[in-house]
Amino acid sequence: MRLHRLDITGFGPFGTTQTVDFDALTEAGLFLLHGPTGAGKTSVLDAVCYALYGAVPGARQGPGGSLRSDHAPAGTATEVVLDLTVGGRRLEITRRPEQLRPKKRGSGFTKDKAQSWLRAYDPERGAWEGLSKSHQEIGEEITQLIGMSREQFCQVVLLPQGDFARFLRADAEARGKLLGRLFDTRRFAAVEEHLAGLRRVAEQQVRDGDERLLGLAHRMAQAAGPAAADWPAPDGKPGDPGLADSVLAWAAVARAGAREALDVAACALAAAESRQAAARRALDEERELAARQRRYEDAVRRREELELRRPERDAWQARLDRARKAERVAGPLSLRDDAERAHRAAHAAHARAAASLSAAGLAPELADAGTEHLTALAGHLSQELGGLEHARLAERRGAEIARERAELERQARADEDTLHDADAWLAGWDILRRTLQDGVEAAQEAATRAEHLAGRLDPARRRLAAARRRDALIRDAEAAGSRLAAAREQANDAHETWLDLRERRLRGIAAELAAGLVDGDPCAVCGSPDHPAPARAADDHVDRAAEDRAYAAYTHADENRSAAERDLAVVREALTAARAEALAGAEGDAEPTVGELATAVERLERAYDEARAVAGGMHAARERLDREEAEHRRRLDVRRQVERRAAARTAQREALDRAQADVDAELARVRGVDGTGGVAEYATLLELRIARLTEAAEAVRAAEDTARRLKEADDRLADAAFRAGFDTPDAAAAALLDDVRQRDLQHRLDDWQAASAAVADRLAEPETRAAAERPPADPDAARAALADADRALRDAASTLDAHRDRCAQLARLSREADAEVRRLGPLREEYDRVARLAGLTAGTSAENERRMRLESYVLAARLEQVAAAATARLQRMSAGRYTLVHSDARAGAKRSGLGLHVVDAWTGRERDTATLSGGETFFASLALALGLADVVTDEAGGVRLDTLFIDEGFGSLDDQTLDEVLDVLDSLRERDRSVGIVSHVGDLRRRVPVQLEVVKERAGSRVRLHTGGSGLGG
C-alpha cells in the first residue's frame, strides 16, 4: 500500500483545505511530521485512517464527538480525500462525516448524512471511474485489499509507541489480548471451548450412565430383599472409579442368595403337597362312609312307604284285569256304532233328495215311490234329452253365424275409415315432398355459409381478446411504473437512512466499547487497565440492532425495487405482443378500438349463429323426407290391402247366408220348442230333473241298506257281552279302557314292583349293611383338615412364586446392568480421551507442564516470530547489545507462554523487558513495533505496506542512539518503504531534511512541505 495524496477539508484542527503530497514526502524514504503541541500532527494520521475505514483510531473516537473542525467556514463541508495504490490498483477514497450545514432556505442548520465515494483510475483512458457510494461496500473492498482491520492497521501502519512500551512491560494476559486482536486467534480459542464443551457433554453422559447404574443397583436391592442382607449394596457416587465392577459383583451375590432361597421354597412346597394329598384321601373315605350310611337309611324308609301303598296297588291291578276282559267286546261295540252313524247319514240324504225333487218341478212324494219307479222315470227323461241334441247344435251354429256377420261389418267399417284416411293423405303428397326437398337444400347452403363464417370468427375473437389485454396492460404498465417510482424512492430513502445510522453508530462506537469496560480489566482498544474517562453514549447514539434493522429495511426495499422493475418489463413485453396481435389483419396502421372489434365480432357471431341454426336442421330435414317417403309407400300398400279385404268379405257374407238358412230349417223341425225359449234352456231343465231322480233313487237304496246293517250289529254286540261275562253290553262298555289309561295303570304297577325290588337289593348289599353297623361318619373334621393342608400348600406355592419372581427380576436387572456397563465403556473411553485433550488445550492437565493454553501456544509462536523480526533491528539500534527473546517460563502460579525477555550481550544474562531504561524502552518498543508490522503484514496475506508512521518517543534518546535508530529507519528504504516520524523533537528537524510541518494558527492549522530548503503551503 502506497499513499499518494491526502486532501483534508474542515477536519479536526484544519479549517480550510490542506493537501499532503505523500509522493514528495516518501521520495526520500524518511520524512518528519512535526509541529507544536495541539497543531494537528496526529490529526493527519487520523485523516488517513478515516479515509480508509470511515473512523479514526479508537482512542481518539470520542463518544458524541464530531470530526468537523470548529475553524471551518459555515459553507465548507468537512471532507477527506485519499489517493493511494493498494493491491496494484490506484484508488481515490472520499468521505464526509455526518455534519450540520446552513439551511438553503431560512435560518438554522440541517444535518447531512455521512457520505462516501470510491473511484478507480483507468490508465488506458486516463480518467477516474466511479465504483461505489455505499459505506459498506467501500469498507469491505478496502479491508479486503489491505487485508487488515482498522485495529490492525492502526497498530501496524500508525505505530503508537506508548502502546508498545506498555506491551513490553505488560503481563502474559495483556500481551495475549493484544496479540489475539492482531493475529485473530479466535479459532484456537473456539477449539478450546469446543473441547471443553465436548468434555462437559461426555462427563454428563458418564454421570448419567452411573446414575442409571446406581438406579439399577437400588432396584436390585429392593428385589433381592433379605437374599443379600449379608452383603451391603454399593454406595458409590456417579463418576467414582470402579463403580461398575462393584455393582456387577454385588448383583452376582444377590442372584446366588436368591437362588438358594428358591431351592428351600421348592422343598417346602413338595412337603406341603404330600400333606395335602393325605388329607384329601381321608376326606374321600369319610364322604364314602357317610354316603353308604345315608343309602341304608333311605332304603329302610322307602320300604316302609311301599308297604303303606300296597292296597292302592291291588286296586290298580283289579281295574286293569276288568279292562282287559272288556277288550273282547270292543270290536262288536265299534261295529254297532259305525252302523248307527251310517243309518243316520242315509236318512238325512233321503230328506235332502225329496227337497231337491220339488225344486226341479217334480212331486216330492216321488221320494217314497221306491227305487225302481224313480229309475224308470229318469230313463224316460234321458231318452227325451237325446232327441234335442241336433236342435242344440243348430242353435249354436246360428249364434256363431251372427257373430261372424258382426265381425265382417266391423272390418268393413274399419277398412272404410282406413281407405278414407289414405286417400286424404295421398292427395297432398306432391306438395309435401317439394317442401321437404327445398328445406334440405336450404340447410346445405347454410352449412357452407357457417363454415366460411367460422373461419373469419376465430381471428376476429383473438384480435378482440388481444385489444382487451392491450387496454388492461396499458393500465397495468401505468400502475407498474407508479409502483417502480415509489419503490425506487423507498429504496433510496432506506439506503440513506441505513448509511446515516451506520455513520452515527461508527461515531459512537467508542461508547459501545466503553459500556463493556470493567475496572482493573484492560481496555480492548488500548490495553490499559485504567479507565479515567470512558466514552459516553450521545442522546442520538445508534446501536447495532438499529443499524441491522435499517440495513434489513434497505435490503427489503431494494428487493422490492428489483421486483417492480421486473414486473414493469414483463407488462411492457406483454403489451407489445397484445398490440401486434390486435393489429393482425387490420387495414392501415391505426389501432382498432375494443368497441370496433366487439361490433365486428358480434356481427360475425350473429350471422354464424343464424347459418349454424339453419344448417343444424339439415339432418332432421333429410330424416323427415325419408320418413314421409316411407309413409307414402305404406299408404299405397294399405289402400291395396283394403280393396283385397273388401272382395273377400263379399264372398264370406254369401256363405253365411246359406248356412243361416240351413239352421233355420233345422230348428223348425224340432219339437218341444215353443219359440219363447231356446233349445238349450229346455235341455238344461231335462238334465236337472234326471240328476234329481237319480239322487233320490240312490238315497232310498242307502236308507234301506243302513237299517239292515244296524239290526245285525245289535245282535252281534249282545252275544259278545254275554260271552265276556258282562250282564249287558252297557256294562262291558263301562269297563272298557283305552290304551293310554291301560298303559298308565301298568306303569304304576311296574314302578311299585321295581321300587320294592330295588329296596330289597339295597338292603341286601354287604358294604351298605357293614357301613350301617359302623359309628356315624364325620366329614366336617376331615374337610377342615384338608382346608388347613390347602392353605399351607398355597402359602408354600406363593413363597416359591415370590422367590422365582425375585430370581427372574434379579436376572433381568443384572442383564440391564451388564448392558449399561458395556454401553458406558465407549463413553468412558471417549470421556477420558476428550478430557485429556481438553486439559491439554486448556493448560490444566498435568501433561501440560507449562500450563499453556492452545491459544497462548499459537500466540507464543507468533510472539517468537515478532521477537526474531524485532531483534534484527534492536541489535542495530543498541549497537549489538540487546536481543529480544520469547520465554515460556511460568511466573509464579500464573500460566506461561507469552513472556518477553531481553538478553544483554554485555552481561550475558537474560532479564525482563521492564528493567530497560526509558530510552532503551523506546528503541526496544520501536524495534518490536517494526517487527510486529512485518509479521502482521505476512499474516494478512503479504500485502505490501510502503508507508509507515511512528508517533513520538524520540525525545528519550541520546544523540548516538538517535543516530542508530535513524539509521535503522533509513534502512527500511532497502525494502522500498518510507517512514514518517511524528515528533516535535527539534534535533530531528536538523537530521531529517524532508519534513511536513503542521502550523497552528488562529484560523485553523495548516501544513507546509519542506524538501531540503523549500516550503510549500497547504
Side-chain angles (χ1 to χ4, degrees), residues 567-605:
D567 293 343
L568 181 58
V570 170
V571 171
R572 286 176 175 172
E573 183 178 358
L575 177 59
T576 301
R579 279 176 169 164
E581 187 174 359
L583 280 172
E587 297 179 356
D589 297 334
E591 292 187 359
T593 64
V594 173
E596 294 172 351
L597 293 175
T599 302
V601 169
E602 184 179 0
R603 185 171 56 254
L604 288 174
E605 287 178 345

Side-chain angles (χ1 to χ4, degrees), residues 388-464:
L388 293 176
E389 183 65 27
H390 292 289
R392 187 163 52 187
L393 291 175
E395 188 178 41
R396 282 200 294 268
R397 176 57 183 159
E400 291 176 357
I401 290 172
R403 286 194 298 272
E404 290 177 1
R405 285 178 181 275
E407 179 63 22
L408 289 175
E409 292 298 330
R410 186 190 63 78
Q411 291 178 358
R413 288 192 299 271
D415 285 346
E416 184 179 358
D417 294 340
T418 302
L419 182 60
H420 178 73
D421 183 56
D423 290 341
W425 190 90
L426 291 172
W429 164 243
D430 294 335
I431 298 174
L432 178 61
R433 180 174 59 182
R434 182 68 260 169
T435 302
L436 294 177
Q437 289 176 348
D438 293 342
V440 171
E441 293 174 358
Q444 291 176 345
E445 294 176 358
T448 303
R449 188 168 62 256
E451 184 177 358
H452 174 68
L453 290 173
R456 295 174 56 194
L457 184 58
D458 287 340
R461 285 174 175 169
R462 288 195 296 271
R463 291 178 60 203
L464 176 59

Side-chain angles (χ1 to χ4, degrees), residues 255-271 796 799-800 803-804 807:
R255 290 198 303 273
R259 285 194 293 270
E260 182 179 354
L262 177 64
D263 294 339
V264 173
C267 294
L269 178 63
T799 302
L800 181 61
H803 284 292
R804 284 175 179 168
C807 290

Side-chain angles (χ1 to χ4, degrees), residues 506-724:
L506 291 176
R507 287 201 308 270
I509 196 68
E512 286 190 23
L513 297 175
L517 294 177
V518 179
D519 292 338
D521 291 345
C523 175
V525 178
C526 64
S528 172
D530 298 327
H531 317 299
R536 303 296 180 184
D539 295 337
D540 59 345
H541 176 65
V542 178
D543 57 6
R544 184 178 184 83
E547 180 187 349
D548 292 341
R549 287 194 299 271
Y551 180 70
Y554 160 63
T555 304
H556 179 69
D558 191 62
E559 292 175 353
N560 291 339
R561 178 191 56 75
S562 300
E565 291 177 349
R566 290 193 298 271
D567 293 343
L568 181 58
V570 170
V571 171
R572 286 176 175 172
E573 183 178 358
L575 177 59
T576 301
R579 279 176 169 164
E581 187 174 359
L583 280 172
E587 297 179 356
D589 297 334
E591 292 187 359
T593 64
V594 173
E596 294 172 351
L597 293 175
T599 302
V601 169
E602 184 179 0
R603 185 171 56 254
L604 288 174
E605 287 178 345
R606 186 165 54 251
Y608 173 74
D609 292 340
E610 293 173 357
R612 190 167 176 269
V614 175
M618 180 172 61
H619 180 69
R622 286 179 175 175
E623 288 185 346
R624 187 181 176 190
L625 178 59
D626 294 339
R627 287 197 305 270
E628 296 302 332
E629 288 178 347
E631 181 66 17
H632 176 256
R633 291 190 297 272
R634 188 184 69 81
R635 297 278 184 170
L636 293 175
D637 184 62
V638 166
R639 187 165 61 182
R640 288 191 296 270
Q641 291 177 2
V642 167
E643 293 173 351
R644 287 196 297 270
R645 287 197 298 270
R649 281 195 299 273
T650 301
Q652 288 180 358
R653 286 193 184 98
E654 294 175 353
L656 290 176
D657 291 341
R658 291 191 295 272
Q660 183 65 41
D662 295 338
V663 169
D664 293 340
E666 181 66 26
L667 291 177
R669 290 194 297 270
V670 176
R671 293 180 300 166
V673 181
D674 54 5
T676 58
V679 176
E681 293 180 359
Y682 184 67
T684 301
L685 178 60
L686 290 178
E687 290 174 353
L688 177 61
R689 289 176 178 178
I690 292 170
R692 294 296 180 262
L693 289 173
T694 304
E695 291 175 359
E698 291 295 333
V700 171
R701 186 182 299 110
E704 292 175 352
D705 291 343
T706 56
R708 185 181 66 255
R709 289 196 300 270
L710 177 59
K711 185 177 181 307
E712 291 175 356
D714 287 339
D715 293 341
R716 285 193 297 273
L717 177 59
D719 183 62
F722 178 76
R723 287 197 298 270

